[in-house]
Amino acid sequence: MNQQGLRFEKLKIASFDFTCCEGCQLQLANRESSLADFLRLLDIRNFREISSERHEDYDIALVEGSISRSDEVERLLAIRRQATVLVAFGTCACFGGVNSLKNRVSGEAAVSEVYGDMEVETLPVRRISEVVKVDLSIPGCPVAKEEVERIIISLVTGSLVTLPKYPVCVECKAALNTCLFELGEICLGPITRAGCHAVCTTGKTPCLGCRGPAEEINMEAFLHLVGERGLSRSDLQEKLAFYNAFDAFTP
Amino acid sequence: MKRDYTIAIHHLTRVEGHANITITVREGQLIEARWAVVETPRFFEVMLKGMSAERVPFLTSRICGICSISHALASIRALERAMHIMPPAVAEKTRLLAMHGETLQSHALHLFFLAVPDFAGTASILPLMESHPDIVRAGLQLKELGNEISTVTTGRCTHPVSLVVGGLSKAPDKAKLTALQKMIRERKPLLETACAFFRTLAIPEFSRETEFISLSNSTSYPSIGGDLVSSDGIKRDENEYLLMTNEYTKDFSTSKFTRLSRETSAAGALARFNNSSAFLHPEALKAAESFGLRPVCHNPFMNNIAQLVECVHILEDAEMLIDSLLDSELSAIKTPWKAQAGSATGAVEAPRGILYHHMETDSEGRVVKADCIIPTTQNNANIDLDLKAIAEWALEKGKNDREIEKLCEMVVRSYDPCISCSVH
Ligand code: SF4
Ligand code: SF4
Ligand code: SF4
């Protein structure tokens, strides 16, 4: 039996985007050196951004973006009806992403700030799993193409799909970086799921937790660390709220 | 031939974001042509309120997956100007190189993945992998090179990591810069292959006079900062961006429209070429000449060619920038700064045209008010008028509904519109 009950040679795949920057979709066209081999695994049935061909028979739907309008709810429900495996693709889809920062104000206030008197529909931003059942989540802002390729290959070959359970710190230490806490910064690496090769901290920028909480995190110890070092509470709040990925843990 | 029909393209394909085209023809006459952006808005101006300056570029880069470096740098420039911060020269050079990487990646994506299938009569690039493997390979390798330039300079190709207020969080690695230099030299000939291929494509001989707007400085081809100029002779300071854009809403579009001297105007590669071709590298000018592209060109399809010409310029300029970075000490990369209240505009030439971020900060460096005006927003009105003009032009030439539909899609794509970006 194959992964998620699927068995076929080429994966019939479709890609859809909702409220987002389309950066995750774009990753599918990156890593150009392996792109041709990657595409050979797939039968692309619907991918508006790169092809004018559209077919409604697909098994796997990569769903990018968050939900913030009623027509998006309708479109997502239709995709759910068709897809055997619905993948929340990227941080916007998995957690709501940066779009969720809009939820701090009312819809009316947001519309009048940007559009003045014009009427524009907008709902509070929701993650995909708040609207439909999600079978698989691939986090990241943007997703790491390498990880996407590994997961797609797992789906084709029917092996188990896994994400690292350990935090970004493990990858950051392996990269021999100086810890940003030593430089007086707050970094969400200790509580964030690895899999990005600690790309931000390797660039000397604190992790903002785009991949969401690691499987076993010690939030208490983390908050203690921040408090003990006398680091800014508001900086911590801003970082935890950035991708809306730690709402369950936010004190 | 059908004399009564409506062309309704719901969610145009091979563009970034969601938009529709409607063309109505009755008794062989054009009744209506409309470009409607229906993308869901994200309200970045609202999200930015209260955000600390350190975090701003990480948020603004999420406006767009294709031009995240431009968005990061426009907001960084706005904040640095608002708080009187002067980034070190090494950071400025690295930022310019990063812009080149992004533009190359974006132009290659547009030209090879999105535009070429129109000219080749295919639905996507996929069938071309079999029929034109050399061209597809050239496109992929150029796009990869653009991504590699961005990765070496900013830490990641989509959503930069090390572009921060005050300079850079980390200097580019010299060994990686050397490898990049080699990659540029090896791949430069691919542009000749690309130019030779594009010269074989039939570019529609359509033109409509319009006003072209771009950044301008007196020393180089525009990229980061400068004066705001138009081909109708307007020149303004960067901070006066509102007088240049005059944004207004249309009830059928979630993306706004802009205007300057005329009903519409255009931004983008063709605008930059038309206003600043004198600053292009001689090799790029040679490429332009081989296509008969000379300023001021009013054929919107030639925006594709202007993009190709810019790719030639970028690779020449990138080589010089890397040489200069390799010759410098890469230690002074960030100016320490203190938050202060202020307000300023940061304008950059994103791949699709001039991008404005305006930021007002409080004494703690938090954003009090933000405004972002995106290139595609500035092109919306022009796209709308081009649709009308091209539909009329095609009707006069006796084209049928299928041909008109195709021309309309193509003219929109030639602007390389980035719709989610324009709605932000
Ligand atoms: S997760 Fe990030 S990269 Fe992906 S669509 Fe959302 S904002 Fe863009
Ligand atoms: S910099 Fe961040 S990710 Fe790296 S070790 Fe320190 S806390 Fe962990
Ligand atoms: S370091 Fe943190 S913010 Fe950066 S990509 Fe990894 S998980 Fe995301």
Side-chain angles (χ1 to χ4, degrees):
Chain A
M1 198 57 177
N2 278 358
Q3 178 69 18
Q4 311 285 355
L6 293 174
R7 185 183 310 164
F8 26 60
E9 317 248 280
K10 277 194 179 199
L11 289 177
K12 282 196 171 140
I13 201 160
S15 165
F16 303 95
D17 53 277
F18 291 86
T19 304
C20 71
C21 84
E22 301 198 10
C24 289
Q25 259 192 75
L26 204 70
Q27 295 309 305
L28 295 172
N30 283 347
R31 267 177 56 102
E32 293 80 358
S33 50
S34 58
L35 189 63
D37 288 333
F38 177 65
L39 289 175
R40 251 174 237 125
L41 294 173
L42 309 174
D43 178 2
I44 295 178
R45 307 304 290 167
N46 199 323
F47 191 167
R48 189 189 48 79
E49 199 176 7
I50 63 158
S51 177
S52 302
E53 255 181 69
R54 303 186 220 201
H55 304 275
E56 294 313 318
D57 59 323
Y58 47 84
D59 298 308
I60 298 191
L62 302 180
V63 177
E64 176 201 47
S66 52
I67 302 300
S68 72
R69 215 166 55 187
S70 45
D71 62 319
E72 292 192 316
V73 175
E74 294 308 311
R75 206 151 59 84
L76 183 58
L77 289 172
I79 293 167
R80 177 67 276 184
R81 280 193 291 276
Q82 171 61 35
T84 313
V85 176
L86 188 149
V87 184
F89 194 60
T91 298
C92 290
C94 296
F95 303 107
V98 292
N99 311 314
S100 315
L101 291 168
K102 185 206 97 182
N103 292 353
R104 294 177 301 180
V105 303
S106 72
E108 294 87 65
V111 171
S112 81
E113 170 85 21
V114 174
Y115 290 99
D117 293 335
M118 185 177 144
E119 267 184 50
V120 174
E121 188 201 344
T122 184
L123 301 172
V125 168
R126 282 184 288 171
R127 55 187 75 180
I128 299 301
S129 64
E130 287 176 79
V131 182
V132 295
K133 178 174 163 276
V134 167
D135 301 300
L136 193 66
S137 294
I138 307 181
C141 182
V143 293
K145 175 76 185 294
E146 221 182 308
E147 183 170 81
V148 174
E149 285 180 9
R150 185 173 55 75
I151 290 175
I152 301 265
I153 291 168
S154 299
L155 288 172
V156 175
T157 56
S159 31
L160 193 68
V161 175
T162 54
L163 294 177
K165 294 187 161 92
Y166 48 83
V168 171
C169 286
V170 173
E171 292 176 341
C172 186
K173 298 248 165 59
L176 305 176
N177 297 329
T178 306
C179 178
L180 291 163
F181 275 100
E182 301 303 326
L183 305 174
E185 299 235 37
I186 298 173
C187 173
L188 300 192
I191 52 171
T192 300
R193 190 192 291 278
C196 59
H197 298 296
V199 61
C200 300
T201 59
T202 303
K204 282 216 166 79
T205 280
C207 171
L208 292 174
C210 80
R211 294 175 55 87
E215 226 125 289
E216 283 166 14
I217 63 170
N218 189 338
M219 197 67 182
E220 220 175 297
F222 178 70
L223 294 176
H224 185 74
L225 172 76
V226 173
E228 191 186 60
R229 299 199 172 218
L231 298 171
S232 153
R233 199 82 194 157
S234 66
D235 190 41
L236 175 68
Q237 297 291 4
E238 188 169 279
K239 285 173 176 161
L240 285 172
F242 199 77
Y243 291 109
N244 195 44
F246 290 90
D247 51 346
F249 297 91
T250 306
Chain B
M1 203 190 324
K2 277 195 273 180
R3 296 187 42 87
D4 284 350
Y5 52 87
T6 300
I7 298 168
I9 302 162
H10 185 70
H11 293 178
L12 176 67
T13 55
R14 277 189 279 123
V15 290
E16 210 267 13
H18 298 93
N20 303 335
I21 296 173
T22 325
I23 309 282
T24 314
V25 173
R26 292 286 170 267
E27 291 170 27
Q29 297 292 314
L30 180 73
I31 303 291
E32 197 201 13
R34 179 176 280 185
W35 163 244
V37 171
V38 294
E39 184 76 19
T40 39
R42 285 165 294 158
F43 299 96
F44 270 84
E45 281 97 347
V46 174
M47 295 182 212
L48 281 161
K49 271 194 171 176
M51 179 108 344
S52 62
E54 284 92 347
R55 220 75 56 224
V56 165
F58 299 97
L59 180 55
T60 53
S61 57
R62 268 76 190 174
I63 290 176
C64 181
I66 304 179
C67 58
S68 52
I69 290 176
S70 294
H71 281 284
L73 288 176
S75 57
I76 287 172
R77 183 169 166 86
L79 291 166
E80 286 175 348
R81 279 158 51 87
M83 300 192 284
H84 307 289
I85 304 162
M86 299 285 285
V90 165
E92 304 235 52
K93 279 182 198 160
T94 307
R95 288 172 177 182
L96 187 53
L97 187 55
M99 288 287 288
H100 284 350
E102 172 174 280
T103 303
L104 180 63
Q105 164 272 136
S106 175
H107 283 2
L109 174 74
H110 170 71
L111 288 167
F112 295 91
F113 282 72
L114 312 181
V116 157
D118 276 333
F119 293 99
T122 54
S124 73
I125 197 181
L126 301 173
L128 297 173
M129 289 175 121
E130 310 297 327
S131 62
H132 295 74
D134 289 354
I135 293 309
V136 175
R137 199 174 316 121
L140 283 174
Q141 293 199 347
L142 288 168
K143 183 166 158 298
E144 184 179 46
L145 176 58
N147 278 335
E148 190 56 25
I149 298 175
S150 305
T151 306
V152 171
T153 48
T154 77
R156 176 166 60 192
C157 64
T158 305
H159 300 328
V161 164
S162 53
L163 300 178
V164 295
V165 174
L168 307 170
S169 64
K170 189 181 184 178
D173 181 86
K174 283 207 174 178
K176 286 189 182 155
L177 282 172
T178 308
L180 191 58
Q181 189 73 299
K182 187 163 164 273
M183 194 172 171
I184 292 176
R185 291 198 175 122
E186 279 167 6
R187 295 196 180 184
K188 240 201 281 183
L190 294 172
L191 277 173
E192 283 159 34
T193 314
C195 283
F197 173 71
F198 274 85
R199 274 194 291 271
T200 67
L201 303 179
I203 296 192
E205 275 172 37
F206 161 83
S207 76
R208 182 181 68 80
E209 211 186 291
T210 192
E211 180 175 21
F212 291 100
I213 302 178
S214 64
L215 276 172
S216 160
N217 60 61
S218 43
T219 49
S220 59
Y221 199 69
S223 183
I224 303 175
D227 287 326
L228 319 173
V229 299
S230 98
S231 54
D232 281 1
I234 305 221
K235 184 171 176 180
R236 297 213 175 269
D237 181 81
E238 206 168 330
N239 283 337
E240 295 179 310
Y241 77 108
L242 284 176
L243 297 174
M244 209 68 184
T245 48
N246 305 299
E247 254 190 334
Y248 59 100
T249 53
K250 284 273 188 189
D251 60 6
F252 56 84
S253 171
T254 47
S255 176
K256 295 176 192 172
F257 282 45
T258 66
R259 69 158 81 84
L260 185 56
S261 321
R262 311 176 183 215
E263 214 176 332
T264 70
S265 57
L270 189 57
R272 289 189 289 260
F273 176 86
N274 280 336
N275 292 345
S276 294
S277 65
F279 296 107
L280 282 169
H281 190 277
E283 286 299 317
L285 279 174
K286 237 198 271 171
E289 194 53 43
S290 79
F291 286 96
L293 175 61
R294 286 180 211 107
V296 175
C297 169
H298 289 279
N299 179 346
F301 292 98
M302 289 303 271
N303 190 52
N304 292 307
I305 303 306
Q307 289 185 331
L308 195 55
V309 167
E310 288 194 334
C311 291
V312 177
H313 173 78
I314 281 168
L315 287 196
E316 299 290 344
D317 203 46
E319 270 192 280
M320 293 198 305
L321 279 168
I322 296 175
D323 277 342
S324 139
L325 283 172
L326 286 171
D327 284 343
S328 333
E329 273 294 330
L330 298 186
S331 45
I333 51 165
K334 194 175 168 193
T335 306
W337 54 274
K338 264 213 185 73
Q340 55 174 290
S343 87
T345 308
V348 303
E349 280 288 349
R352 285 156 197 76
I354 198 164
L355 164 67
Y356 306 97
H357 283 191
H358 187 84
M359 303 273 165
E360 201 181 313
T361 55
D362 65 11
S363 58
E364 286 169 19
R366 285 185 187 278
V367 175
V368 193
K369 189 153 179 54
D371 188 17
C372 310
I373 302 187
I374 274 87
T376 296
T377 306
Q378 300 160 56
N379 281 333
N380 277 331
N382 216 53
I383 293 175
D384 196 55
L385 263 198
D386 266 3
L387 277 178
K388 291 180 180 58
I390 205 160
E392 267 162 7
W393 176 78
L395 282 167
E396 263 168 41
K397 291 199 167 288
K399 307 239 183 238
N400 66 29
D401 54 338
R402 282 294 313 149
E403 291 167 318
I404 294 179
E405 176 169 350
K406 183 166 178 198
L407 274 169
C408 286
E409 287 201 5
M410 275 175 77
V411 81
V412 173
R413 277 194 202 105
S414 72
Y415 283 84
D416 190 5
C418 184
I419 296 158
S420 13
C421 193
S422 77
V423 175
H424 62 285

